[in-house]
Amino acid sequence: MEEEVKKSQNFIEEIVEKDVQEGKLGGRVQTRFPPEPNGYLHIGHAKAICMDFGVAEKFGGVCNLRFDDTNPTKEDVEYVDSIQEDICWLGFKWGNIYYASDYFQQLWDLAEKLILDGKAYIDEQSAEVIAQQKGTPTTPGVESPFRNRPVEENLALFRKMNSGEVKDGAMVLRAKIDMSSPNMHFRDPIMYRVITDHPHHRTGYKWKAYPMYDFAHGQSDYFEGVTHSICTLEFVVHRPLYDWFIDQFADTDYRPRQYEFNRLNITYTVMSKRKMLQLVQEGLVAGWDDPRMPTICGLRRRGYTPEAIKNFISRIGYTKYEATIDVSMLEASVREDLKTRANRVCAIFEPVKLVIDNYPDDAQETLTTENNPDNESAGTRDVTFSKELYIERGDFMEDAPSSFFRLTPGGREVRLKSAYIVKCTGCVKDSDGNITEVHCTYDPDTKSGTEGGNRKVKSTINWVDTKSAREVEVRLYDRLFMVENPSASEQDFRELLNPDSLKVIKGCIVDNQLAEAKPLEHFQFLKQGYFTVDKDSTPDKPIFNRTVSLKDNWAKKN
Ligand code: ATP
Ligand code: MG
């Protein structure tokens, strides 16, 4: 049993478990989820969230939410709010909320200390020149001509950087480490830059010099008492610098440690916030929560559940190798989750009237139907049945081959779902030859739920009583991009958008009970897929989003 529990742990949980057992840092576990509030969270962030919050939960620790808000040009309270909403929706609870911007003064003081120690200097070269001087991993970099400025001058200039007198890009503060280090991040990394004309969403215009990620992140972890600072693999090469900065200031033995796992990449989408922002700003999608977006709010609007997302994350697991996950795995997770969650209902996408000639004209009866054969506790519901019903146009064929088991004149018997067996007698057409009505007769002794209801026929079709029918709009979503990896293409990713990623069908017929459904309620439209109510839906104009089809028909199509 113990063995089993161990096996189900990911490699980071194993490290944490060992640290706890050995009593490292007093057996304390403290993690953080550190989003930059420059966009909405996406499914990749969900992977980090499940790790950061999951580890804390599992080992009796705490996970804090820290907004890594060190770049005012891209950040906004809109994002701060949405990030909190999405984490809560996923079902996680943070201990505290922190902001890197709360540490601006502390970070500033540390930077001044580094200057006084002769370990940081002001460089007045342009970003391009500094980049050129970096060298390559195999050739050493070139030292800046400003590298050996006197301490007093560095200190005066650093203060000037924050006074508003220095233009953006005119100077930076660099750590003085080693321009020939094999680790490029040690080649005098930039610690501070100037941003004058963008108010910070929390500190306004108070600061003009802002710390860079590498300087801010480790210190923030240290200030907060983080034990395990978990991030993605691209930060492996930053780790020595993370440790170096902390070593410059730490006045105790305590050290936060950074651990890295593989980031999530998914086929047929983009997950860079910069690219997602472009899609939103250029109107190529309907917003961050467009149901085709890989954002948490997009997936939610699409009909994904937190459970489906978390099951997916736990299935793909955590490794130390980059890989791309097929989006069909994500779709399979939501399909599986909705199977027991979503009530089955009939929805007719392309309706035609079915008239039962031998059914009494004014009669209407109530039939009881199971809500969900895969979930007994879902109970039953009543639907009305009368002489005229809507059925799917495709369920009738005038001249049908013998392999067609649905309605055709003189054809076989067909069961109307949860109702009676009928036999097609013909159809009525308008002057243009379009079929306007299909006619049939029914066998009153074959009602579902009665003894005659047990009689088996080849095929069952869906219907909605015209007397209870309600027109709704249905939105069918497909993959946002036509190619598996739009970011790897030489073409601009926006040219690779799938033109058929949204198909709107108006005039679909459902039972009017469904018009009362609320956003985030889930349904299986029989034979069509899983659907949820869109947030723009109203009882007057109901709108349903397809979450996912019933089967993975993409694989077949291609
Ligand atoms: P972008 O580069 O698009 O802005 P980011 O990685 O900078 O994204 P952050 O807000 O800094 O986004 O990320 C917060 C946390 O989420 C970080 O710890 C980061 O490693 C993690 N994260 C971001 N994207 C992914 C992903 N695709 N898979 C797993 N973790 C991710
Ligand atoms: Mg980032």
Side-chain angles (χ1 to χ4, degrees), residues 10-194:
N10 62 58
F11 73 98
I12 290 182
E13 288 172 339
E14 279 169 10
I15 292 168
V16 176
E17 182 176 51
K18 190 158 167 284
D19 287 349
V20 169
Q21 279 168 358
E22 290 173 358
K24 234 188 219 174
L25 300 176
R28 209 165 57 77
V29 173
Q30 184 175 325
T31 60
R32 84 288 168 267
F33 174 62
E36 182 177 357
N38 62 350
Y40 283 67
L41 296 183
H42 53 59
I43 180 86
H45 291 113
K47 179 172 177 179
I49 288 169
C50 288
M51 168 63 87
D52 294 329
F53 286 89
V55 160
E57 225 164 70
K58 189 159 184 175
F59 297 99
V62 63
C63 177
N64 297 312
L65 173 58
R66 182 198 315 138
F67 289 104
D68 207 343
D69 55 348
T70 54
N71 180 1
T73 62
K74 293 184 177 159
E75 296 158 4
D76 199 275
V77 282
E78 176 194 350
Y79 304 132
V80 170
D81 295 342
S82 73
I83 287 169
Q84 295 181 47
E85 184 185 351
D86 290 347
I87 296 171
C88 290
W89 179 73
L90 284 171
F92 294 104
K93 286 196 177 68
W94 52 80
N96 285 305
I97 297 186
Y98 296 122
Y99 294 84
S101 56
D102 288 342
Y103 310 132
F104 280 168
Q105 186 62 53
Q106 271 166 287
L107 291 167
W108 180 270
D109 294 342
L110 294 182
E112 287 205 346
K113 180 179 178 303
L114 216 58
I115 293 172
L116 290 170
D117 289 347
K119 289 179 181 168
Y121 63 96
I122 300 292
D123 197 337
E124 289 173 67
Q125 302 181 102
S126 68
E128 293 75 39
V129 172
I130 291 176
Q132 275 163 19
Q133 291 172 345
K134 267 250 144 131
T136 69
T138 48
T139 55
V142 175
E143 292 189 354
S144 162
F146 298 100
R147 199 169 196 261
N148 295 311
R149 270 188 206 277
V151 166
E152 288 314 315
E153 205 178 304
N154 282 321
L155 197 59
L157 285 175
F158 187 43
R159 289 175 184 171
K160 209 168 153 194
M161 269 176 71
N162 201 37
S163 68
E165 296 165 65
V166 175
K167 274 208 296 235
D168 296 25
M171 3 178 132
V172 291
L173 179 71
R174 296 177 73 180
K176 190 171 171 180
I177 312 181
D178 180 2
M179 285 306 288
S180 55
S181 169
N183 183 331
M184 301 290 284
H185 295 279
F186 272 95
R187 296 188 182 179
D188 292 8
I190 296 173
M191 295 170 60
Y192 270 85
R193 58 174 153 184
V194 177

Side-chain angles (χ1 to χ4, degrees), residues 33-36 38 42 44-45 48 232 261 263-264 271-273:
F33 174 62
E36 182 177 357
N38 62 350
H42 53 59
H45 291 113
T232 37
F261 64 85
R263 61 191 296 130
L264 172 61
M271 283 203 279
S272 133
K273 282 187 273 191

Side-chain angles (χ1 to χ4, degrees), residues 14 21 51 116 149 187 280 287 310 344 358 377 416 441 537:
E14 279 169 10
Q21 279 168 358
M51 168 63 87
L116 290 170
R149 270 188 206 277
R187 296 188 182 179
V280 172
K310 289 189 276 193
R344 274 55 169 162
N358 61 338
S377 70
L416 296 173
T441 54
S537 184

Side-chain angles (χ1 to χ4, degrees), residues 190-458:
I190 296 173
M191 295 170 60
Y192 270 85
R193 58 174 153 184
V194 177
I195 299 170
T196 50
D197 54 357
H198 268 90
H200 186 281
H201 68 104
R202 302 190 80 231
T203 59
Y205 288 103
K206 181 168 179 218
W207 298 89
K208 312 281 188 299
Y210 287 91
M212 301 296 288
Y213 173 90
D214 280 316
F215 183 61
H217 203 88
Q219 316 315 314
S220 303
D221 284 346
Y222 184 83
F223 297 150
E224 290 167 10
V226 168
T227 58
H228 300 80
S229 180
I230 310 168
C231 59
T232 37
L233 284 174
E234 68 272 23
F235 291 102
V236 169
V237 286
H238 294 246
R239 196 196 316 140
L241 183 58
Y242 173 102
D243 292 337
W244 188 88
F245 274 129
I246 296 174
D247 285 342
Q248 302 310 305
F249 313 111
D251 43 15
T252 64
D253 286 345
Y254 151 69
R255 292 288 184 282
R257 282 286 168 229
Q258 181 184 297
Y259 300 92
E260 310 86 7
F261 64 85
N262 62 327
R263 61 191 296 130
L264 172 61
N265 304 301
I266 294 188
T267 55
Y268 298 101
T269 192
V270 293
M271 283 203 279
S272 133
K273 282 187 273 191
R274 185 178 56 80
K275 288 184 178 145
M276 293 196 300
L277 182 64
Q278 268 179 303
L279 293 175
V280 172
Q281 284 179 337
E282 294 170 18
L284 297 169
V285 295
W288 286 97
D289 68 348
D290 185 302
R292 293 165 292 183
M293 290 281 269
T295 49
I296 303 296
C297 55
L299 291 167
R300 177 164 67 228
R301 187 169 171 189
R302 173 90 170 242
Y304 274 73
T305 58
E307 292 76 13
I309 292 173
K310 289 189 276 193
N311 287 340
F312 166 72
I313 300 291
S314 96
R315 226 164 262 174
I316 58 172
Y318 296 84
T319 72
K320 292 186 194 180
Y321 308 96
E322 292 297 354
T324 299
I325 303 293
D326 201 303
V327 68
S328 61
M329 264 188 85
L330 178 63
E331 293 167 349
S333 285
V334 75
R335 213 176 267 127
E336 187 183 311
D337 183 66
L338 293 178
K339 190 173 181 217
T340 48
R341 207 183 279 279
N343 285 348
R344 274 55 169 162
V345 297
C346 289
I348 308 297
F349 281 26
E350 227 189 305
V352 68
K353 224 181 240 182
L354 176 71
V355 182
I356 307 170
D357 292 328
N358 61 338
Y359 195 85
D361 281 353
D362 298 321
Q364 189 177 37
E365 61 189 298
T366 303
L367 303 177
T368 300
T369 175
E370 231 180 335
N371 272 327
N372 187 345
D374 290 310
N375 179 2
E376 225 174 276
S377 70
T380 60
R381 81 177 173 283
D382 292 339
V383 289
T384 66
F385 183 89
S386 65
K387 187 181 179 76
E388 297 192 355
L389 312 171
Y390 286 115
I391 60 165
E392 221 40 92
R393 202 162 269 276
D395 282 340
F396 171 77
M397 201 185 262
E398 200 176 7
D399 296 305
S402 58
S403 56
F404 187 78
F405 294 129
R406 286 164 285 164
L407 297 170
T408 184
R412 296 164 218 251
E413 288 182 319
V414 169
R415 178 168 293 281
L416 296 173
K417 170 92 184 143
S418 309
Y420 298 95
I421 288 177
V422 297
K423 222 166 149 24
C424 182
T425 52
C427 65
V428 176
K429 293 181 193 169
D430 64 14
S431 52
D432 296 328
N434 300 312
I435 294 162
T436 52
E437 280 178 8
V438 175
H439 283 253
C440 69
T441 54
Y442 86 121
D443 179 347
D445 296 329
T446 58
K447 185 171 171 176
S448 294
T450 67
E451 209 172 306
N454 293 330
R455 185 142 71 81
K456 293 274 176 283
V457 292
K458 272 264 189 216

